C-alpha cells in the first residue's frame, strides 16, 4: 500500500539524516572543539592512560583515598547499581560489614556514624567522587601511610573540594582520582 | 530541604519561559507558518517530501492518519529488529559484538519503536556504535515525532469546525523532526560534549589504574543520543547505568539541562495547545492541573527520601541517608526531582537506582506512570492522556449539573467518552493482568532481585513502565529472559496504541462537530473549579485502580521500614 511505502521511505531518509549525518556531524564538532572531553576525559601519567577523570576506579592501598563501594568493583564495561531494596537483608548485612571495616581501617571508635556515600554503592558503580566528609575521614590514615603531616593532607583535600551546582545540584565533594594524583605529586 | 526547594525552583524557572517560547514556535510550525528557522530548514523539509514522495497539501481523515501512525511505528520496529540481528556482519563494530539474541532484539525493537526505551540489555556489551546510531537513536527521534504528530492532530480536531480531516501525518512527522527535535538536539548535544559526555567512534580504551589494575573504558557516540533521549522523553541509555553514568551525565549542569530537556517539549505542547485552539487560558488551566499533581508527588518523594532509612541508621550510616544507588555529584534531592520528572513524563532515563529508593518514592513513581503519565507526560502522548481525563472530567461535571458535557465548544458524545475510557482504563487492565501472570509463574518469579513486598513492587513496576511506555525499571528484576522480553514487548505495543489510536479517534470525531457558543450555563473550563475537578478525577481513578496492588507492594514495605523490620 502507498502509506506503507511512504513509511519505509521516511524511515530510510531519516535513518540517513538522524542516524548518520547527525551523529557524525556532532562527532566532528566534538573532536574539533572539545577533543579531550569527547574522548572520555582521559588522564595520563608519563604517557600511560591511568583512567578517566569522570570514572571512578578501585583503590585499596592505605596510601590512597578510597572511593565508594562499587557493585562491579569499578569494571567500567559493567556499569550499574546493586539494585538492593531498602528493606533487603542483603543490603543491611553488606552495609554493616563495610561500616565495621571502615571504622577499623581508619581507627575510628565503634559507634561512629559513617558518611552514607562511603558505605553505600552508587547508581553507576563508577562514581568518581566522594563527599568531603568521606575524604576527611581518611586523612589520618593516608597521612600516616605516607609519612606526611596530617595538616598537609587535609589542606590538599580542602583545596580540591567542588561545591554543588547553583547551590542545589550535588554535594560538596572531591574527585578521588584527582586527589590521589595530587597526593602522588606531593611525595 | 533547602537544596530540594532550590533545585525545583531553578528547574521550573528555566523550564517555563523556554517552554512558553517553544510552545508559540511549535504552534507556528504546525500551522505551516514561517518561523525564524524557516529560511534554513524549509529547503531541507521540501527535500524530504520529494525523496519520500509526500504531497504536503494532502489532508487526511482520522483513519488514514491512524494507518500512517501504525505503519511508521511497526516499520520502525522492523528495521530496528533487523539491524540488531545483523549487527555481527554490519560495519562500525569495534568490539566485534555478535547479533543481539532474538528475544532481546524483539523486545528492544518494540521498546524503541514505541518510545518506551525499556532496556533488557546492557549497552556497553550488547550494542555496537552502529546499532546505537543508526538503530536506536533514529527511533528516539521518530517515536517522539509520532507522539507529537498525533497530539497535534488531536488538537486540530478541537480547533476545527465541521471538518473531515485532521492534517497530514507525514507533514506533522517531518516538521516535528526538522523544526523541533533536530535543532534542539544539536544544541543540547554540543553543550553535553563540552561537559564530558563522550562523542567518538573509537573502540573502548584500556587504562592501567594508579594501583596497576586494568580498566577498560567504554566509548561511543553518546552525546548525540543523550540529547534526543531526553528531548524525546525516550530514556534509553547508551550505557547500562543510563543518566547515572558519568559519561552520560557528568555534573550538576548536565543534570539540570537533561532534566529540563525531558520536560521541555511536553510542557511547550500544552502552550501550543492553548494557542492552536484559540484559548490560551485553556492551556494554562491544563498546566495548572499538571503542576498540582507534580508538586504533590515531588513533595512526598522529597519528604520520604530526605527522612532516610531507619535500618541504615541502625547499621551505623550517618543520618540513615538513603544514598544507595545515588551519585555524589547529583545528591539525593536532584535524584528525587529527576525521578519525579521522568515518571511524570514517560522518560525512562534514570539518574539513580529506582530499586533502592525508599518505598514511598517508589509509590509516587508507580502512581505517576499508572495514571498514564499525564503530568506533562511523554512528548505528545502526555497531552493526549490528559485530554482523555478532561473528557472524563467533563462527563462527570456534566452529570452533576445535568447538561450534555462540552469542551472548547464541542459537545462530547458517546464516541468520545468510549475512546477516553479505553485510553484511561485499558492500560491498567493490561498492566495489572501482566503483573499478576508474572507473579503466578515460575518464569516471572525467577527474575526477582529483592524478596517480599519489594519484589512485588519490582514486577509491578516493570509492567507499569512497559504499558506507560516509560522504560525505567526497578532494575534488580532480571528481565532479559524470553518470558519478560515477550510479555513486556506485547504490553508496550498495547500501551502505545491504546493511547495514540483513541486520541486520534477523539480528534477526528470532534473535528466533525459544530462549535456551540458558550452560554451562562456552560461549565467554565479555564478556572480553578475545572482544575480541581480534573485533578480530583485523576487522583480518584488512580487510587481506585491501584490501591490494592500498591498496598501489597510499596505501602507494605513502608510499614516494615517504619517498624524497623527487614522485609
Amino acid at each position: 500500500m502507498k502509506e506503507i511505502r511512504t513509511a519505509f521511505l521516511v524511515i530510510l531518509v531519516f535513518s540517513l539524516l538522524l542516524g548518520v549525518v547527525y551523529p557524525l556531524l556532532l562527532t566532528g564538532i566534538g573532536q574539533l572543539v572539545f577533543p579531550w572531553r569527547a574522548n572520555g576525559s582521559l588522564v595520563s601519567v608519563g604517557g600511560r592512560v591511568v583512567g578517566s577523570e569522570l570514572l571512578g576506579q578501585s583503590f585499596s592501598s592505605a596510601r590512597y583515598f578510597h572511593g565508594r563501594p562499587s557493585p562491579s568493583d569499578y569494571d567500567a564495561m559493567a556499569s550499574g547499581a546493586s539494585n538492593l531494596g531498602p528493606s533487603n537483608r542483603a543490603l543491611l548485612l553488606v552495609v554493616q560489614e563495610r561500616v565495621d571495616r571502615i571504622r577499623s581501617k581508619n581507627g575510628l571508635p565503634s559507634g561512629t556514624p559513617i558518611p552514607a556515600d562511603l558505605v553505600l554503592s552508587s547508581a553507576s558503580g563508577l562514581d568518581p567522587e566522594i563527599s568531603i566528609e568521606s575524604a576527611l575521614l581518611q586523612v589520618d590514615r593516608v597521612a600516616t601511610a605516607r609519612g606526611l603531616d596530617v595538616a598537609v593532607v587535609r589542606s590538599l583535600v580542602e583545596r580540591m573540594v567542588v561545591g554543588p551546582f547553583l547551590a542545589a545540584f550535588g554535594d560538596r565533594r572531591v574527585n578521588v582520582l584527582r586527589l590521589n594524583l595530587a597526593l602522588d605529586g606531593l611525595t | 530541604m533547602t537544596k530540594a526547594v532550590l533545585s525545583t525552583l531553578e528547574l521550573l524557572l528555566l523550564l517555563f519561559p523556554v517552554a512558553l517560547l517553544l510552545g508559540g514556535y511549535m504552534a507556528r510550525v504546525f500551522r505551516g507558518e514561517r518561523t525564524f528557522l524557516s529560511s534554513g530548514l524549509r529547503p531541507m523539509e521540501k527535500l524530504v517530501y520529494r525523496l519520500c514522495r509526500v504531497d504536503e497539501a494532502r489532508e487526511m481523515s482520522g483513519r488514514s492518519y491512524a494507518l500512517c501512525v501504525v505503519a511508521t511505528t511497526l516499520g520502525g520496529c522492523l528495521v530496528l529488529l533487523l539491524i540488531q540481528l545483523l549487527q555481527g556482519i554490519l560495519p562500525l563494530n569495534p568490539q566485534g559484538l555478535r547479533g543481539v539474541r532474538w528475544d532481546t532484539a524483539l523486545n528492544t525493537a518494540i521498546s524503541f519503536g514505541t518510545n518506551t526505551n525499556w532496556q533488557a540489555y546492557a549497552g556497553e556489551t550488547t550494542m555496537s556504535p552502529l546499532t546505537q546510531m543508526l538503530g536506536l537513536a533514529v527511533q528516539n527521534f521518530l517515536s517522539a515525532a509520532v507522539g507529537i504528530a498525533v497530539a497535534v492532530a488531536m488538537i486540530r480536531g478541537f480547533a476545527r469546525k465541521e471538518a473531515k480531516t485532521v492534517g497530514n501525518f507525514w507533514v506533522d512527522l517531518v516538521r516535528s523532526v526538522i523544526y523541533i527535535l533536530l535543532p534542539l538536539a544539536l544544541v543540547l548535544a554540543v553543550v553535553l560534549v563540552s561537559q564530558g559526555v563522550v562523542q567518538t567512534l573509537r573502540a573502548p580504551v584500556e587504562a592501567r589504574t594508579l594501583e596497576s589494575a586494568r580498566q577498560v573504558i567504554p566509548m561511543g557516540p553518546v552525546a548525540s543520543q543523550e540529547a534526543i533521549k531526553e528531548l524525546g522523553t525516550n530514556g534509553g541509555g547508551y550505557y547500562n547505568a543510563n543518566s547515572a553514568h558519568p559519561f552520560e551525565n557528568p555534573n550538576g549542569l548536565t543534570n539540570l539541562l537533561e532534566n529540563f530537556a525531558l520536560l521541555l517539549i511536553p510542557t511547550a505542547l500544552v502552550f501550543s495547545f492553548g494557542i492552536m485552539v484559540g484559548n490560551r487560558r485553556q492551556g494554562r488551566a491544563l498546566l495548572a492541573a499538571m503542576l498540582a499533581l507534580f508538586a504533590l508527588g515531588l513533595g512526598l518523594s522529597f519528604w520520604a527520601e530526605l527522612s532516610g532509612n531507619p535500618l541504615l541508621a541502625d547499621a551505623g550510616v550517618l543520618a540513615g541517608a538513603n544514598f544507595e544507588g545515588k551519585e555524589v555529584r547529583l545528591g539525593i534531592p536532584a535524584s528525587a526531582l529527576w525521578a519525579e520528572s521522568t515518571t511524570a513524563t514517560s522518560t525512562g532515563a534514570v539518574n539513580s537506582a529506582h530499586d533502592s529508593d525508599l518505598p514511598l518514592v517508589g509509590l509516587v513513581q508507580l502512581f505517576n506512570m499508572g495514571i498514564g503519565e499525564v503530568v506533562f507526560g511523554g512528548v505528545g502522548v502526555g497531552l493526549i492522556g490528559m485530554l482523555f481525563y478532561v473528557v472524563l472530567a467533563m462527563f462527570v461535571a456534566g452529570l452533576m449539573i445535568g447538561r450534555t458535557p462540552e469542551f472548547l465548544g464541542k459537545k462530547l458524545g458517546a464516541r468520545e467518552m468510549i475512546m477516553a475510557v479505553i485510553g484511561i482504563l485499558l492500560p491498567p487492565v493490561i498492566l495489572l493482568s501482566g503483573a499478576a501472570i508474572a507473579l503466578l509463574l515460575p518464569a516471572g518469579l525467577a527474575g526477582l532481585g529483592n524478596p517480599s513486598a519489594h519484589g512485588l513492587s519490582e514486577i509491578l513496576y516493570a509492567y507499569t513502565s512497559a504499558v506507560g511506555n516509560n522504560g525505567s525499571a526497578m532494575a534488580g528484576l532480571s528481565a532479559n529472559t524470553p518470558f519478560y522480553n515477550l510479555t513486556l514487548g506485547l504490553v508496550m505495543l498495547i500501551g502505545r496504541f491504546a493511547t495514540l489510536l483513541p486520541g486520534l479517534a477523539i480528534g477526528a470525531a470532534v473535528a466533525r462537530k459544530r462549535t456551540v457558543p458558550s452560554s451562562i450555563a456552560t461549565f467554565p473550563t479555564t478556572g480553578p473549579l475545572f482544575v480541581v475537578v480534573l485533578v480530583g478525577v485523576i487522583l480518584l481513578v488512580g487510587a481506585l485502580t491501584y490501591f490494592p496492588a500498591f498496598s501489597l507492594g510499596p505501602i507494605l514495605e513502608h510499614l516494615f521500614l517504619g517498624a524497623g523490620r527487614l522485609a
Side-chain angles (χ1 to χ4, degrees), chain A residues 95-96 98-100 102-104 106-119 131 133-134 136-138, chain B residues 312-321:
Chain A
V95 169
Q96 186 67 63
R98 288 173 191 153
V99 165
D100 292 343
I102 285 185
R103 281 176 186 154
S104 79
N106 294 283
L108 300 170
S110 72
T112 316
I114 304 298
D117 61 299
L118 206 52
V119 284
S131 67
E133 294 81 11
S134 295
L136 291 176
L137 177 155
Q138 304 181 53
Chain B
L312 287 177
D314 293 346
V317 174
L318 188 61

Side-chain angles (χ1 to χ4, degrees), chain B residues 170-212:
Chain B
W170 305 118
V171 172
D172 292 337
L173 184 83
V174 170
R175 288 191 181 151
S176 299
V177 171
I178 289 184
Y179 287 85
I180 300 162
L181 297 171
L182 189 56
L184 285 171
L186 265 171
V187 174
L188 180 60
V190 170
V191 180
L192 292 179
V193 181
S194 78
Q195 297 300 305
V197 179
V198 174
Q199 182 71 27
T200 170
L201 302 177
R202 291 167 72 180
V205 172
E206 191 171 319
R208 183 95 17 212
T209 68
L210 287 191
E211 291 191 341
S212 287

Side-chain angles (χ1 to χ4, degrees), chain B residues 535-556:
Chain B
V535 169
V537 163
I538 293 171
L539 289 176
L540 206 64
V541 169
L544 289 174
T545 312
Y546 296 112
F547 185 74
F550 289 174
S551 60
L552 294 173
I555 295 176
L556 185 61

Side-chain angles (χ1 to χ4, degrees), chain A residues 3 22 27 38 48-49 54 56-57 60-61 68 79 82-88 114 121 123-124 127 166 170, chain B residues 3 10 58 124 199 208-209 211 215-216 224 240-241 246 309 316 318 324-330 356 450 557:
Chain A
E3 308 293 15
Y22 162 72
T27 306
R48 182 187 95 183
V49 176
L54 295 177
Q57 52 181 256
S60 52
S61 145
R68 302 182 58 187
S79 68
S82 74
N83 289 311
L84 294 172
S87 63
N88 192 332
I114 304 298
S121 59
S124 62
D127 196 338
L166 293 181
Chain B
K3 277 186 191 164
E10 285 165 2
R58 182 182 150 217
E124 293 94 326
Q199 182 71 27
R208 183 95 17 212
T209 68
E211 291 191 341
Q215 190 184 38
V216 180
S224 52
N240 188 45
N309 180 347
L318 188 61
E324 181 68 24
K326 297 198 175 59
E327 302 279 303
V328 177
R329 68 187 177 287
L330 307 176
S356 300
N450 282 283
E557 192 187 12

Side-chain angles (χ1 to χ4, degrees), chain B residues 185-325:
Chain B
L186 265 171
V187 174
L188 180 60
V190 170
V191 180
L192 292 179
V193 181
S194 78
Q195 297 300 305
V197 179
V198 174
Q199 182 71 27
T200 170
L201 302 177
R202 291 167 72 180
V205 172
E206 191 171 319
R208 183 95 17 212
T209 68
L210 287 191
E211 291 191 341
S212 287
R214 180 172 168 272
Q215 190 184 38
V216 180
I217 297 175
M219 294 287 153
V222 182
S224 52
Q225 192 154 331
E226 189 72 21
I228 187 60
K229 159 188 148 189
E230 314 296 1
L231 285 165
T233 63
N234 294 284
Y238 196 98
Y239 305 119
N240 188 45
N242 208 309
S243 291
H245 197 293
F247 278 175
E248 292 199 22
N249 188 6
N251 58 40
L253 170 64
T254 56
N255 188 73
L256 173 61
L257 287 179
E258 290 176 17
N259 201 338
F260 155 78
L262 66 91
L263 291 167
L264 178 60
I265 295 177
T267 312
L269 254 177
V270 183
F271 289 117
S272 309
F273 166 77
I275 295 169
M276 290 175 77
V277 297
N279 186 343
R280 285 167 195 255
R281 292 186 59 200
Q282 190 63 63
R284 288 202 288 271
L286 291 187
L287 205 58
M290 292 175 172
L291 208 52
L293 289 163
F294 188 77
L296 212 60
L298 187 62
L300 184 57
S301 294
F302 278 149
W303 175 75
E305 205 52 17
L306 292 170
S307 28
N309 180 347
L311 297 177
L312 287 177
D314 293 346
V317 174
L318 188 61
N322 189 41
F323 226 83
E324 181 68 24

